[in-house]
Amino acid sequence: MGIALDGLVSGLNTTELIKALMDVQAIPRNLMKAKADDKNVIISQLQTLNTSLQDLAAKAKTAAKGETLSAFSATSSSKDVTVSLRPGAAALTADIVVDRLAQKHTVVTAASIAWPDASPTLTLKNAAGELLEITADSTSMTDVARAINTAGFGITANVVAAGKDADGNPLQRLQLVAAESGEQGSFSVFRGDMAAVGAGTDVAAAPGAAIVATGADAQVRLWAGTAAEQTITSSSNTFTELFAGVDVTVSAVSTEPVTVGVAVDDKARTTAAADFIKQVASLMTRIDNGSKATVGSASGDATTLGVFTGDSTIRALRQSLADAIQHPIDGVSPSSIGISIDRYGVLTIDETKFAAALADDPDAVTTMFTGIAERVQQTTETYSDKYDGLLTSRITGQQSEVDSLGDQLERWDIRLEQRQATLERTYARLETMLSQMQSQSSYLTSQLANLPSFDTGSN
């Protein structure tokens, strides 16, 4: 880093002088930088608006399909039967009888000090008839359980204490449980290799052993006791899509029919519609706030422009959203179902009026609402499409300008550095020249002082 010395000869404050000159030289560059900063703020606001617009487009797409007003509630006459809804559910009422719950196949081996075979080889067989031969590291019940667990055959083994024998030796059992419930989880375990299968070596058949639970599917009956009675099974206690869009989970056997139902939830439908309209209204309000110009309170105060003030693209977007909401559907005004825009351009929804209209004529309300949503979807996608959306193009154009300004700023920085270096050299030469002139002046002064003097007086 160089050492800057002000004019030692001239007495000028060259540092401040050069700085003042450079400040003047940098005025165009600073104006350009301020312009780039302003555009970056605009870009940030446009990107935030575009993100909100894309979110609204996704919501509008769902609403246009009628899914927003497809709100249902599920009911069950028994706490042991629960109903869960999926997309596509429709109103229904049905009686079911729970005959059986799903259970996991469970086997407990006979109690013993160690595995009864000196060579701890076992053969596992699943419900599909597939066989797998495994060998434990030792006759220890723990090692046998480990070998079964690591085999990855859908069987979990645990060692369970079983008291002591007559000599006081601790006894143990293996509890073998299927990883999955239902008939497909059933299994058998045989002592010995695959050749032993079917030779009476099933561990569950040994004295003191037992099949604690047989793998079974859950079973329910629809319309029990009628000619339409239908039996349905499931490997778990959840019957997925028992009806279209409806899952039913059972937790206890029932002797009497359990009534399950799916009903239209008018309150939820109204809330969903209101949330959608409020999201559109919020977006329009954001545009309005960003387009305002604030006039100074005192005379001479500057007027502050909003980030969207004068932006024709944003103004057109706002108008398109308003048109999508307020224009009639099949000759009927949306205000008839409580959706309206007042004279100040504020979008609102009267939820009480909407709920009443929905209760009176749900099909007509659904048609109008989905029509509005479809128009909102078209508008939002026209502006926010990530490839050729009008707002996307606006952002891209602004970014191009900022990039161009950035290139110009870099060139300005180089010119200013060169100009400062030139000024520093110029003032350095000035000091040198002044020093030389000062030296010459001192020399001439000393020479003149040494010249002989002549007396011009008379004799």
Side-chain angles (χ1 to χ4, degrees), residues 11-61:
L12 296 173
N13 188 344
T14 55
T15 299
E16 291 298 324
L17 185 58
I18 291 174
K19 181 179 182 301
L21 291 172
M22 290 305 302
D23 287 343
V24 174
Q25 293 282 332
I27 288 175
R29 188 265 181 199
N30 293 337
L31 291 175
M32 189 177 297
K33 179 64 169 60
K35 183 178 180 181
D37 291 342
D38 288 343
K39 286 191 175 294
N40 277 322
V41 172
I42 293 173
I43 289 172
S44 177
Q45 292 297 321
L46 289 175
Q47 288 174 332
T48 301
L49 179 63
N50 202 35
T51 298
S52 299
L53 206 60
Q54 289 171 344
D55 178 64
L56 178 59
K59 299 286 180 60
K61 185 175 182 179

Side-chain angles (χ1 to χ4, degrees), residues 412-427:
W412 259 105
D413 289 339
I414 294 173
R415 288 199 295 270
L416 290 173
E417 288 177 2
Q418 293 173 342
R419 180 57 180 160
Q420 181 168 344
T422 299
L423 288 173
E424 289 173 347
R425 289 194 299 269
T426 298
Y427 280 99

